[in-house]
Structures are given as structure tokens and as C-alpha cells.
Amino acid sequence: MIGGPQGSGVDTSATVFGNALARAGYYIYGNREYHSNIEGRHSYFNLTISDKPMHSISDDVNILVTFEAESIFQHFREVRDYLVYNKAVESTKLAAINSIERETAEDIEKFLESIKVPPTVEGVLDYLRGKGVKLVPVEYDKILASVADEMKLSVATISRSRNIIAAAVSLKLLGLDKEYLAEAIRGLFKNELFVKANLLAADKAYGLVNAVYGLKGIPINGHRVQLDGNTAVALGKIAGGLRFQSYYPITPASDESVFIEANQVVEVIDPDTKESRKVGIVVVQTEDELAAINAGIGAALTGARAATSTSGPGFSLMVEGLGWAGMNEVPVVVTYYMRGAPSTGLPTRSGQADLLFSIHAGHGEFPKIVLASGDHVEAFKDAIWAFNLAERYQTPVIHLVDKSLANAYSIIDETELDYSSIKADRGKVIVPSGEYKRFQFVDDHISPRAFIGNAVMHYTGDEHNEAGHISENVNNRTKMYEKRMKKLEVADKEIPEELRLNVFGEGDIAVVTWGSPKGAVLDAMEELKQEGVSIQLIQLRMFSPFPRNLVTKLLKGKSKIIDVENNYTAQAASVMALSTGIEPTNYVLKWNGRPITRTEVKTAIKQVIEKNEKRVVLNGGQ
């Protein structure tokens, strides 16, 4: 784990560290936590390293790397083996830290008082020393001054090399060769001056500590990529044929649109000629989210594969437009990044409290498909799938991604992102030669769709007849309403339920979850299995239409059904109960805005098994 003030380069340090590990042949899973202020408040990056793919983070920290005093106070209770800290902050008192939130400071002070440790860095260091934690003081300023002197530069010019010092000390403790870090530095920084300064800083930092963990480079078979959730969705949309993306800036959704904008010219293979050609993606930053959803709808009506992306407050503004899309059977995709709510809530923290909102968003009744990704590979492939579902069933599709996944990083074998078997399904598309009725009544309730420009057609927010003209006739209303709703029944019949959920492991205890907690449950299952506890995980991936038959079959006869979610009211469990009549026997819930860790899941499941606790509330993280 590495911690520091928001805006100090914690991300850069973690990125360089992760890239170096990737080059050494290791997999990582990392999560970025940051305060919602622009600069100064505490942020941190928690990373798990393994020689096999990992899916979650842990509460137990082997190496804690810090730049300043606050990170020591925030995380000293988590560190197990090594604390790397700035020697210059040893005399700092907790009361002197202005950036720390008052409630957090009071919690820390209360704890220190309970163990009779003075509220100072020195006091905490003594406490850790007594617990067997090894302390690694680093004189960051002295190293930076030395680098600056050798390069004839000011210390201010190379101050960000502080991050490289932290990464270098960490990698040396792990035992990894310095060249992996050098390659990562050369790969990330384009300016030769900064490359040279960082390499020099890395050289000096490597000499500060001895290698203790004994990690060695591992041969890599094939190619791997390091992705966060935003990038995975963006790449999926591009691969899925996205041609129009609208958005209004909001955390944690914006990074997706920024990535697409930076890669808006893509090379494609023409399906007819098989020749390569370049195409463009239009990315529009609109004046607000109302405009964003409506721009996406307009683009979809022209035949472009269109999407928008947003988070809680932005989605609230999109709801009326979503209803218009439902009424007019528009295949628009909304990527919904869930964060701490309600209102502005915890804008840079995570949550899964918007599931029911997304399923029921909009006044009245209209079909929409709602799916949720549980890891980076799913986020990539679901972004493609969402376009196919939207166009096949001519309905809005909401793709849920929680912030814990959007801002998590993992290293993935590139073969997992192979989408060659996924074909674009554009549904019933026609170029009419005569009179065209956009909302024609047909047996499967999905009318042939023509793009604007290829026929005369009419759209309105009012109820309409087959041609799109306003009609309040009772018979038309009943039939047209039913036509729209029946499309969801068609989708329910056509989409295999096996694609709407994932099953892992076997056992008479079932864990039901969705979204990012999937990874924590998977990793906890591995650890529990080593202790003789077998669990079956059922990961729900689609909530509308819900895979009720398969869920019913899978849960039949289970001794316990444990629901794990990142919200207060167990929203996925309520959808499951409504669809199947089956309710969980136990709940593991967390709503403090921080991701669920595998440590928490493992402990909670043991509490359920051993004590039959009905509702375990998690509260880990800082």
C-alpha cells in the first residue's frame, strides 16, 4: 500500500510500481482510494501481487509506503511487515496535521489512547516496532537534493521523483531486479530529463534497503495488459463499434470518455471488402446530463452505435430522456458508474445502492435491460454486449459498473480480451422502399428499424400509433404498450440464462453477489477452501430480465444462502426474492464507500457459518 496527499503523485508511483511488477511477470490487483477534494486530502493505493491472477485487495498490508505523517496515522493498524516512511516527519504530532478529517483524527487518537501510545509519529513508530514491524526511514529530500545536484537542476523540478524513490524501495524489498523499474520508467515518461532524473533517484533508493521477500522474475507467456475499469469499458465500446459518445464530466465516469476521445480515430476491417480503413468516433462533452442522454438518443436514431456514461446525480438527470428512449424504442447504451449516494454523497467512493434505481428509472413502464460487470474482462465484453442487446431489442441498456471496479487496476492476459467470437448484432435494420411504419405491430413485437435519413418517420414523447403519430385511442394504447413490454419477454426467452450469471465452485453454502465484490468472494473462497470450507459463488450479471429459472435451480437445497453486497438494503437480494421467491438466509453488507476486501468476506463467511450471524456489517478501509 502507498499513501499520500491527494495530488502528490500516489497514482504515478503505483502505476510505475505496477508496470515494473508486470514486466517481472507478476499479476496485480490494485484499488485507488481518493478524497473528493482536488488536492491535499489523504489518498492511497492498495495492491495485491501474485504469480497467478488476483481479483481483490486485502486488509492486511505487508508493506506500507508513505510520504508524510498522515498516511502513517491512517494506516498503521493495517501494516504487518514493513513501514517505509519519511524520516523528516518523525516528530510530527497528530494534532498538527491539518489535512486529516476531524472524525478520523478523533478515532485515531481514541485508539492510541486505548493502547497508551502518544499521538505522535514517534509514538506510532515505537508501537509498530514493538509489534515486530520493520521500520524503513527514507530521507526523500536528501535523495532529491543529491539528484538535483548531480543533474544541475532545482529540487522543485524533480520533486515528483519522490514517487520513484518510494517505488524503488518497495521493489528492492520484494527482491526484484532494478531493471524492471528502469523499463517501467522509460515506458511511462516521455521527457528524457525526467527519465534520467527518475532513473538516478531509483539508483539511489535501491541502495537504501536489502531484498527480503525473495521475488524473482517469472517468464511471461503471451502478452499482458494493465487495465482499470474505465479503460476496459472504453476499449469494449470501441471494439463494439461505438460511433457516438456523449457525457458531462462526473466522477468516476469521466475517465472513460476522456480515453475514448484520446483514441477517437480507430482502424477497422470493412466487413464487406475485408480491407482496413480508419473511422472516427464523435465524443461530445455536453452542457449537462440531460443533453448527454438526448444527444445519445439522437445519434442512435441515425443508426450510430451510441452511448453515454455517467454517475448517480447525472443518471438522475437522464431519467426523463431514458423514458423517451423507452417510449420510442431507441437502442441507446448508458454506462452507469455507481458511487456513494444519495445526492453528491461520497463522489469518489464506491457503492452498489443504485441497482433498484436503474431497474425502475423513469415514470411509467417501459422495458430496459440492466446488466452489471464483476471484473475488468466482463466490463470490456459487457460494453460490447450492451450494444448488441440494445439494437436487437430496440431498448435502452444500462450497464452498471461500480466505482470500486472503475478505479481498480489489474493485469490481464490479453487472450482474455479476445472478442473475435462476438459478432455485432444490429437487429432488424431495413432500408424501406415504400411506406414505413417505425412502430409496426409484428409477431415478435420488435419492429423493423430504419435509420433517420432512410425513410420518413415520426417520433414523439406521447403515445403513438404504428407510424409514430400521436394517438390516445384506447385500443392503440393497449396494443402499443403491450408491444413495448413484450420485447422484454422476448429478450428473456432469447438470452440464455447461463449468460446472465456466473457460477464458481461447489458446496451446499451459496454466496450470491454482483459487481466488484465478485473478486473478493472468489479470492476468499480460495482461502476458505484451504481451510476445508467449500463455497459456491453465484454472480448475478443481468437483473432485467432476471435469470429466475437458473437461480431457482442453483439455490435449491442450499443449507445457507449468503448475500454479499455494497449497499444497506441488499438490493440484488430483493430482486432475486421478487423474481424467484427465494430469500438469502444471511447477509454481508457494506455501505461506507470503500471496496469489500477478501479479508472481510472470509471473516464474515466464517462468522455466518460458526455463529449463524444473520447480518454482518463491514466497515473496513480509510
Side-chain angles (χ1 to χ4, degrees), residues 362-419:
H363 53 282
E365 299 168 307
F366 60 93
K368 64 179 84 68
I369 291 173
V370 179
L371 68 157
S373 299
D375 59 37
H376 293 127
V377 174
E378 286 180 11
F380 172 79
K381 293 188 175 178
D382 287 350
I384 304 172
W385 194 23
F387 284 129
N388 283 354
L389 293 168
E391 294 199 316
R392 182 172 184 82
Y393 301 107
Q394 297 180 18
T395 186
V397 171
I398 300 170
H399 178 195
L400 297 173
V401 182
D402 41 279
K403 181 264 170 186
S404 290
L405 184 57
N407 287 167
Y409 292 75
S410 64
I411 290 176
I412 299 165
D413 291 310
E414 198 173 82
T415 51
E416 289 196 73
L417 301 177
D418 178 23
Y419 58 97

Side-chain angles (χ1 to χ4, degrees), residues 84-118:
V84 179
Y85 70 98
N86 187 346
K87 187 172 174 52
V89 305
E90 284 182 344
S91 60
T92 305
K93 297 178 180 177
L94 176 61
I97 301 173
N98 295 324
S99 58
I100 196 167
E101 291 182 320
R102 186 174 63 183
E103 296 83 359
T104 303
E106 289 172 354
D107 290 343
I108 294 169
E109 189 163 8
K110 188 175 178 182
F111 175 78
L112 291 172
E113 187 178 345
S114 72
I115 57 174
K116 303 186 186 319
V117 170

Side-chain angles (χ1 to χ4, degrees), residues 34-71:
Y34 49 104
H35 198 280
S36 58
N37 81 331
I38 302 297
E39 188 171 357
R41 294 285 195 183
H42 179 62
S43 66
Y44 63 100
F45 198 101
N46 191 345
L47 192 73
T48 293
I49 307 163
S50 178
D51 56 1
K52 61 181 181 180
M54 293 300 294
H55 317 90
S56 66
I57 56 172
S58 168
D59 288 335
D60 297 326
V61 177
N62 296 107
I63 302 175
L64 171 62
V65 181
T66 64
F67 300 118
E68 31 60 281
E70 180 173 350
S71 293

Side-chain angles (χ1 to χ4, degrees), residues 34-195:
Y34 49 104
H35 198 280
S36 58
N37 81 331
I38 302 297
E39 188 171 357
R41 294 285 195 183
H42 179 62
S43 66
Y44 63 100
F45 198 101
N46 191 345
L47 192 73
T48 293
I49 307 163
S50 178
D51 56 1
K52 61 181 181 180
M54 293 300 294
H55 317 90
S56 66
I57 56 172
S58 168
D59 288 335
D60 297 326
V61 177
N62 296 107
I63 302 175
L64 171 62
V65 181
T66 64
F67 300 118
E68 31 60 281
E70 180 173 350
S71 293
I72 299 173
F73 284 113
Q74 291 261 12
H75 297 287
F76 74 92
R77 284 172 280 188
E78 299 159 71
V79 63
R80 299 290 178 267
D81 298 340
Y82 286 87
L83 169 64
V84 179
Y85 70 98
N86 187 346
K87 187 172 174 52
V89 305
E90 284 182 344
S91 60
T92 305
K93 297 178 180 177
L94 176 61
I97 301 173
N98 295 324
S99 58
I100 196 167
E101 291 182 320
R102 186 174 63 183
E103 296 83 359
T104 303
E106 289 172 354
D107 290 343
I108 294 169
E109 189 163 8
K110 188 175 178 182
F111 175 78
L112 291 172
E113 187 178 345
S114 72
I115 57 174
K116 303 186 186 319
V117 170
T120 64
V121 170
E122 284 179 329
V124 171
L125 295 178
D126 284 342
Y127 168 75
L128 291 176
R129 201 177 284 114
K131 300 280 285 185
V133 174
K134 310 290 189 303
L135 305 180
V136 182
V138 175
E139 295 180 277
Y140 288 100
D141 293 339
K142 188 176 178 181
I143 296 173
L144 289 174
S146 173
V147 173
D149 184 58
E150 288 187 36
M151 294 187 66
K152 311 299 182 193
L153 296 169
S154 69
V155 173
T157 303
I158 59 161
S159 61
R160 289 302 177 99
S161 293
R162 186 183 305 266
N163 306 315
I164 302 302
I165 297 171
V169 171
S170 305
L171 287 164
K172 180 65 180 293
L173 285 171
L174 293 177
L176 290 172
D177 191 275
K178 188 171 56 181
E179 188 53 31
Y180 295 121
L181 177 59
E183 289 176 9
I185 290 170
R186 294 189 194 101
L188 184 65
F189 298 97
K190 305 305 176 191
N191 185 305
E192 279 301 318
L193 179 71
F194 293 129
V195 170

Side-chain angles (χ1 to χ4, degrees), residues 470-541:
I470 294 172
S471 171
E472 296 190 4
N473 173 270
V474 292
N475 292 327
N476 177 76
R477 167 68 170 176
T478 299
K479 198 171 179 181
M480 190 60 72
Y481 199 112
E482 185 178 66
K483 163 190 155 38
R484 287 191 294 271
M485 297 305 293
K486 288 281 186 181
K487 290 192 299 178
L488 201 58
E489 294 180 22
V490 175
D492 194 20
K493 289 177 184 172
E494 291 187 348
I495 304 170
E497 293 200 6
E498 289 77 9
L499 297 181
R500 292 185 255 169
L501 57 77
N502 286 327
V503 182
F504 302 91
E506 294 181 350
D508 74 336
I509 297 173
V511 171
V512 178
T513 194
W514 63 288
S516 67
K518 167 195 174 183
V521 177
L522 275 176
D523 289 339
M525 282 171 62
E526 282 293 314
E527 294 182 12
L528 286 167
K529 192 173 182 180
Q530 293 172 13
E531 298 177 16
V533 179
S534 295
I535 302 288
Q536 183 175 66
L537 167 61
I538 300 171
Q539 178 212 351
L540 302 173
R541 298 194 57 221

